[in-house]
Structures are given as structure tokens and as C-alpha cells.
Amino acid sequence: MAATSATVSNTENLMKYMKLDQKGSVLAEYIWIDGSNGIRTKTKTLKKAVKDYTELPEWNFDGSSTGQAPSDNSDVYIRPVAIFPDPFRGGDNILVMTETWDPDGSPNKFNYRHECERLMEANAKHEPWFGLEQEYTILDADGWPYGWPKGGYPAPQGPYYCGVGTGKVFCRDIVEAHYKACLYAGLQISGINAEVMPSQWEFQIGPCEGISLGDHLWVARYLLYRVAEEFGAKITIEPKPIKGDWNGTGLHTNVSTREMRQEKGMKAIEDACKKLGERNEEHILVYGEGNAERMTGEHETASIDKFSYGVADRGASIRIPRQCAQEGKGYFEDRRPASNACPYRITGIIMETIFGGMEGLDLSKAEK
């Protein structure tokens, strides 16, 4: 896919500088989540390579410019929680996932990771595994799906899902580049596929245990945006990017606990589904913005205000895979989360609903 935008970086020229000796210094790209569920980063020079995130210093940024603090008290601190090899800079350079904290030592109001981790630690004995299916749409510089006729539409849905060949798939180069970048970074990416709407794709992260799922998914999102930069493309995770008879984009969430994986684990799966049904409204509050446009009861979704679960039913809120039903154990898939939902909020509220909450925590709040 040739990039035509004049704002695209010239990668060929950049590469001669990327090969320069760093004289023992290491570049650490600090990543955090801003006040609008977006990704922000900045780079710190380290004097030596590090092996663990605990070796890294806390840093800060201007929270008034990211929707996370007022201008008269703008400092927000970022604390490292995980590190990954940097596929763009290579060598000992790293990506650093962080949490945001206020100057008084309390979590920033948009720090959903902290609450999620507390729930994961409290329920570690249940050994929760998660796998998230991140759908997204690739847009051109004008904000229209890549490969679509300008101001028009391609042929109806049908041949594009897992498609092969010109006219059936678009921007596979971006998808492949992102896949390799995730593998280099050590992320638990388990697969990719073209989705139902043309220029819509999906990658899967997991299975990951506990809090690590959210870390891996956020870093995978960062890598996707960065790769798309180099191709002059835009990435959107809006739940319904194109109105009308086109599929929306979701973040289907697969969940398995130790009890569900044991013999006769189907009872634990069904018990969890019943509990999730009792808190459908609370879950929808944190399952992404604009989800009502996607969850209409059509295009492989349930109605947003009606909860259901069933075996192999992609029109249900919760799908139990047929293989799990036959084996009597395994996992379930929560199909309600929108593509733009925060993985910390999704996995956190699922743990809260299945195993009970903790004093001082309420993951169902849309805003803190």
C-alpha cells in the first residue's frame, strides 16, 4: 500500500539515523492512557540497559494537556508497570507501560489499571485467563475506509471475512507489520484475521493471566497506531465507524477460571453467565462509548438492553463455544464490549461480578 500523504515520515531516510550508535544509552518509550481513553507517549534516555520495570524511574507529564489534571496543578506521575522490547528502535531500547498517579500519591481518576490489579490479586486463586479479540478499521488520510471508493461503498458484506485476494482484503501490509512488531515485543498475540466489513481487521491477545492481559492489549494498540503512521493510514476503534448495513467493531472477551477448566466446569461457566446477566446494565456502562450503535441485535450482536447466553450463538450477549459445551468445561466469550473499551475495566468488572467486589471499589462506575 503506497502512502500518498505529504505528512508521512520518510522511513527510508530515517533508517540511516536509526542505525547510528547510541553510545551505551537506551531509549525508553513511556506509554500511558490519557483522559479520553487514548494513548500518549514520551521518550526517556537511560544510561544503561534494564532487565525489569522496577529498575526504571517514575516520571511525570502535563496532565492539563491530556485531560487528566487542571492547569493549576498539572503534574501527573507515570509509574512503570511492565517493559517490552521496542520493535521500532531495536537493540536494548524498550517500551514501558505505566500507570498514572496524582501528586498526593493516589491513583489518577483515569487509572483503571490500579483497581483492576487489586481485584486480580484478591482472586488470584481462581487463576483467571483472558483473551481479547481487538477489532479495528483502517482509514485513509481523509478518514474513509482504505480501499473504498471515494464517497462511495464497496460491494455488500460477504466475501471479506477471512478473505484472500485483491478486492477482498485491504491493507494486509499494515496488518502483517503489526503482527511482527507484536511478536518482537514479546506480546501474547495469538492470531489475526480480516473481518466482515472491508478494511476491518482483528488481532487476538491472550491467553494472559490476570492484569497482564490489559498491559499486552494496550501496548498492541500502541504498536498498531505507530505502524499505521508509517503507512500514512489512520486506525479507528470506534464501535460503528460506518453507519448502515455494515458490521460494527467489538472487543470480544474470552474468560476462563480454574474452576471452569476443571472437569464439570460447565456449571462454573453457567453460574458466571447468570451473574453477568444480573449486572448487564453495570457492565454496559464500562464496555465502551458508542456501543448502542453497534449492539442493535443485528450484525452478530445482541440488543444492548437484553441479556442472553447460549451455545455457539453469536447473536447472544455471551457465547459458550460448542466445543466447550461438548467437553463440559473451558471458557465463555462476552460479546458485549465495544472495540474502544478499556481492557482493565472489562476484565476488572468481570472479576468483580463473578467473585464479588472489594471494599472501596466499584468497577461499574462510568466515571470516577
Side-chain angles (χ1 to χ4, degrees), residues 16-137:
K16 63 184 179 182
Y17 298 101
M18 296 298 287
K19 295 174 182 178
L20 294 177
D21 187 356
Q22 295 180 188
K23 305 298 184 182
S25 293
V26 170
L27 305 184
E29 192 74 13
Y30 279 54
I31 303 168
W32 73 93
I33 314 307
D34 68 15
S36 59
N37 200 45
I39 297 173
R40 306 285 181 129
T41 75
K42 62 181 194 174
T43 312
K44 176 180 279 292
T45 302
L46 308 176
K47 294 303 181 183
K48 62 178 182 178
V50 299
K51 299 296 184 183
D52 190 81
Y53 74 87
T54 57
E55 302 175 55
L56 294 168
E58 187 178 273
W59 207 6
N60 64 76
F61 64 91
D62 171 17
S64 69
S65 296
T66 64
Q68 291 169 280
S71 59
D72 61 353
N73 188 22
S74 62
D75 285 357
V76 177
Y77 294 85
I78 39 181
R79 298 179 182 175
V81 294
I83 61 173
F84 305 88
D86 186 339
F88 303 111
R89 293 173 171 140
D92 291 327
N93 302 304
I94 55 174
L95 306 176
V96 184
M97 191 65 207
T98 70
E99 284 188 8
T100 52
W101 289 74
D102 289 335
D104 63 3
S106 61
N108 185 263
K109 66 179 181 178
F110 299 104
N111 179 357
Y112 300 113
R113 186 187 187 280
H114 177 67
E115 294 179 342
C116 180
E117 186 171 34
R118 287 181 60 190
L119 279 164
M120 294 300 176
E121 290 176 348
N123 293 288
K125 65 181 180 181
H126 299 292
E127 301 173 13
W129 294 357
F130 300 97
L132 268 63
E133 305 168 22
Q134 177 69 72
E135 295 178 340
Y136 61 94
T137 307

Side-chain angles (χ1 to χ4, degrees), residues 75 114 120 176 208 217 222 230 250 260 271 292 295 322:
D75 285 357
H114 177 67
M120 294 300 176
E176 293 287 342
C208 297
L217 185 68
Y222 162 74
E230 299 191 12
M260 295 177 191
D271 287 346
M295 291 191 65
R322 187 170 301 282

